[in-house]
Amino acid sequence: MSPSHQNPIPAQKENKLPPWLSIYRTLKSEILTDELADDDRLPSEKQLCSRFSVTRMTVRRALDALQREGLVTARKGSGVYVNAKPTCYEINSGRRFIENVATHGYSVETKTLSVSRVSARADIAEKLGIKRGTRLVAIKRIRIIGGKPAFLNFKWMPAKRFPNFNKIYKINQSVSQVYGEHGIEEYHRVETRVSGGRATDDEARHLQLEVGAPLIRSQSLNSDSDGNRIEFSQGSWPLDSVEFIFPQD
Amino acid sequence: MSPSHQNPIPAQKENKLPPWLSIYRTLKSEILTDELADDDRLPSEKQLCSRFSVTRMTVRRALDALQREGLVTARKGSGVYVNAKPTCYEINSGRRFIENVATHGYSVETKTLSVSRVSARADIAEKLGIKRGTRLVAIKRIRIIGGKPAFLNFKWMPAKRFPNFNKIYKINQSVSQVYGEHGIEEYHRVETRVSGGRATDDEARHLQLEVGAPLIRSQSLNSDSDGNRIEFSQGSWPLDSVEFIFPQD
DNA sequence: CAGTGGTCTAGACCACATG
DNA sequence: ATGTGGTCTAGACCACTGG
């Protein structure tokens, strides 16, 4: 063995790209040009090693980058697979959720995970313009689009305003129907906020993600036609699955 | 040398935590409990190796996890530093960028990375309502807030509309001044879109993130007071650094 | 200059899935 | 049983920073 473990060919000094980066780019372009199609298995790490004349660690560095970008998924004992291109739902802030998604031809299913009474947390109380500790109706739901869990949703509403919430909601799990039965025919969006975050245990479980996986969260505040705030809603989406659209002016 | 390179103590089978994970958790708790304060330098990788009795690769696996979470930042040749708890900038869609951030008391610096002429890509042409291939002015900038790269920004504008772009922009790197000098006193936001994504090479380099790090991207379209679309703009933010606020109705 | 993180070689053992 | 990815050891050279 020579004293150096380095490549005996020290590579062109002009080519200053780290090997892992050029491997990454090569594989990425093969994925994006469909030389590697959706759900295809990549060559094994060992095969990639000999193809690119590097060790496994260098190949893995490139695969890690692809995986973080969501282009591939590694399955232990099986291989590394090309991910189907992420489905991205367009959420237009001017319309109701169901209209946003249904118009794109997806089947939407809503599963109510819980309906409960809680005391208002400080942040929610402030949004709704009520006192901290006021009784709220809290519902937790998961939206399933095309058979895949897509969206975890919490809503909080002043309980006093909706005495018959449970009875009416039970019928077809429609919040807007609850509103209608309580004399709220029209309501509108006051504000929407969009931010990033990392999946909590709860979010990860329901959305079938890893704990700490990147997310997009939306928060929105609705009021009735008299300007009374009636609902604060939060949603959590997998990072790559949604685009929010805000038409303005 | 023994035929095995493995640790001679094969570790308790009960403790099934991978070493890198327990190192990660140890360091994370030291950061979160302020044993390691903001801007502190962590012990060097070599020191951590001896502290935890592992090789550098194992330490680096743990540091990578911390870095992806945004808890620490590695500086080549210098060390690994604890990040100040993430600052989240509120971006209110009704106002200009500089107003959004400056009102929160941050210093904002803008660095123009390039100003060029390009042919309109199909997607940008569609947004701007022009033909594909039309000449555009493209600018690429990085916003530096409180000394840290915070926001990578691209803008595309029809070149024909701004014959003196370079000359005017050079003066104080102000796009709105370019607009003013070309007779556009007022312009307004037509639409904003917010979505998630993963850092490209370019984004990672400028925002000092890993390739594939989670991002929030915003796209916005501006038009002049006659409704002519004059600018398509895209921004990329580290996931945890921004909250978009959209007042509505 | 010495020290740091970034990258890489050349092996190894393990848990897991069944190409 | 074989092959896969997940993890690890024990070194090495490089570019960069100014601890």
Side-chain angles (χ1 to χ4, degrees):
Chain A
M1 195 59 181
S2 98
S4 168
H5 288 193
Q6 289 304 97
N7 190 327
I9 303 161
Q12 315 83 328
K13 279 175 187 169
E14 300 314 304
N15 179 7
K16 46 190 169 188
L17 272 187
W20 73 262
L21 189 54
S22 69
I23 295 169
Y24 157 81
R25 289 183 180 172
T26 301
L27 293 175
K28 181 170 179 174
S29 87
E30 291 178 3
I31 291 168
L32 295 181
T33 61
D34 285 326
E35 285 174 59
L36 291 163
D38 289 356
D39 301 322
D40 273 4
R41 214 199 67 183
L42 268 61
S44 77
E45 294 179 355
K46 194 178 289 188
Q47 290 173 303
L48 292 172
C49 290
S50 51
R51 171 173 168 194
F52 294 108
S53 306
V54 295
T55 58
R56 233 183 110 202
M57 187 202 177
T58 308
V59 164
R60 285 180 61 78
R61 181 79 174 81
L63 292 175
D64 277 357
L66 292 172
Q67 192 155 13
R68 278 179 231 173
E69 237 170 299
L71 289 172
V72 302
T73 300
R75 297 182 209 150
K76 195 194 299 193
S78 174
V80 178
Y81 296 83
V82 176
N83 284 333
K85 304 304 171 281
T87 311
C88 181
Y89 308 106
E90 295 187 352
I91 298 302
N92 192 309
S93 70
R95 288 176 292 172
R96 298 209 177 136
F97 177 87
I98 202 79
E99 298 166 2
N100 282 304
V101 179
T103 56
H104 287 77
Y106 298 107
S107 73
V108 181
E109 185 191 341
T110 301
K111 199 163 128 190
T112 302
L113 302 171
S114 69
V115 179
S116 59
R117 260 67 181 174
V118 299
S119 294
R121 274 165 23 199
D123 58 335
I124 296 173
E126 194 199 349
K127 294 283 186 184
L128 289 172
I130 58 180
K131 277 199 293 238
R132 187 176 155 175
T134 305
R135 297 299 280 172
L136 301 176
V137 177
I139 68 176
K140 177 179 174 184
R141 305 186 295 181
I142 180 94
R143 300 280 198 173
I144 297 160
I145 305 182
K148 290 178 59 177
F151 174 44
L152 184 64
N153 175 232
F154 293 85
K155 286 183 188 290
W156 293 272
M157 294 141 284
K160 202 167 62 178
R161 187 77 187 263
F162 305 104
N164 301 316
F165 189 97
N166 292 47
K167 195 173 68 183
I168 302 166
Y169 185 76
K170 209 182 302 176
I171 299 169
N172 59 1
Q173 308 205 333
S174 160
V175 172
S176 61
Q177 181 154 349
V178 171
Y179 293 167
E181 299 286 338
H182 287 88
I184 299 168
E185 300 303 338
E186 272 286 304
Y187 60 97
H188 70 279
R189 191 64 51 87
V190 175
E191 180 188 91
T192 301
R193 292 175 182 237
V194 179
S195 59
R198 311 278 176 165
T200 62
D201 286 358
D202 200 43
E203 289 169 326
R205 184 169 57 254
H206 291 299
L207 294 171
Q208 296 176 4
L209 299 172
E210 302 275 306
V211 173
L215 292 177
I216 290 206
R217 295 206 183 90
S218 63
Q219 301 187 321
S220 61
L221 188 59
N222 287 329
S223 68
D224 65 19
S225 46
D226 298 334
N228 301 306
R229 293 172 179 189
I230 57 173
E231 173 194 302
F232 178 69
S233 177
Q234 183 194 294
S236 305
W237 300 78
L239 185 69
D240 303 302
S241 70
V242 66
E243 177 172 39
F244 291 89
I245 305 176
F246 297 90
Q248 285 166 307
D249 291 2
Chain B
M1 195 60 180
S2 99
S4 168
H5 288 192
Q6 289 303 97
N7 189 329
I9 303 162
Q12 314 84 329
K13 280 175 187 171
E14 300 314 305
N15 179 6
K16 46 190 168 184
L17 273 187
W20 73 263
L21 188 54
S22 69
I23 295 169
Y24 156 81
R25 289 186 179 171
T26 300
L27 293 176
K28 181 170 179 174
S29 88
E30 289 177 4
I31 291 167
L32 295 181
T33 62
D34 284 327
E35 285 173 60
L36 291 163
D38 289 355
D39 300 322
D40 274 4
R41 214 200 65 183
L42 268 62
S44 76
E45 294 179 352
K46 194 178 289 188
Q47 291 173 303
L48 291 172
C49 290
S50 50
R51 171 174 168 194
F52 294 109
S53 306
V54 295
T55 57
R56 234 184 107 201
M57 188 202 176
T58 309
V59 164
R60 284 179 63 78
R61 181 79 174 81
L63 292 176
D64 277 357
L66 292 172
Q67 193 156 9
R68 276 175 230 179
E69 242 172 294
L71 289 172
V72 302
T73 300
R75 296 180 210 155
K76 195 196 298 194
S78 174
V80 178
Y81 296 83
V82 176
N83 283 335
K85 302 307 168 275
T87 313
C88 181
Y89 309 107
E90 295 187 354
I91 298 302
N92 193 308
S93 70
R95 288 176 293 173
R96 298 211 176 133
F97 177 88
I98 201 80
E99 298 166 1
N100 282 306
V101 179
T103 56
H104 287 77
Y106 298 106
S107 73
V108 181
E109 186 190 339
T110 300
K111 201 162 125 192
T112 302
L113 301 171
S114 69
V115 179
S116 58
R117 261 68 180 174
V118 300
S119 294
R121 274 167 20 202
D123 58 336
I124 297 173
E126 195 199 350
K127 294 283 186 185
L128 289 172
I130 57 180
K131 277 200 293 242
R132 187 174 157 178
T134 305
R135 297 299 281 171
L136 302 176
V137 177
I139 68 176
K140 177 178 173 185
R141 306 187 294 183
I142 179 96
R143 300 280 198 174
I144 297 159
I145 305 183
K148 290 177 60 175
F151 174 43
L152 185 64
N153 176 231
F154 293 84
K155 285 183 191 291
W156 293 271
M157 295 141 284
K160 201 168 61 178
R161 186 76 187 264
F162 304 105
N164 301 314
F165 189 97
N166 292 47
K167 195 174 70 183
I168 301 166
Y169 185 74
K170 209 183 300 176
I171 298 169
N172 59 1
Q173 309 206 332
S174 160
V175 172
S176 60
Q177 181 153 350
V178 171
Y179 293 166
E181 299 285 338
H182 287 89
I184 300 169
E185 299 303 337
E186 273 285 305
Y187 59 97
H188 69 280
R189 189 67 50 89
V190 175
E191 179 188 89
T192 301
R193 291 175 183 237
V194 179
S195 58
R198 314 278 177 160
T200 62
D201 286 357
D202 199 44
E203 289 169 325
R205 185 169 57 254
H206 291 298
L207 294 171
Q208 295 176 6
L209 300 171
E210 299 278 305
V211 172
L215 292 177
I216 290 206
R217 296 206 183 91
S218 62
Q219 301 186 321
S220 60
L221 188 60
N222 287 329
S223 66
D224 64 18
S225 45
D226 296 333
N228 301 305
R229 295 174 178 187
I230 58 173
E231 174 196 302
F232 178 69
S233 177
Q234 183 195 295
S236 305
W237 301 78
L239 185 70
D240 304 302
S241 70
V242 66
E243 176 171 39
F244 292 89
I245 305 176
F246 297 90
Q248 284 165 307
D249 292 1

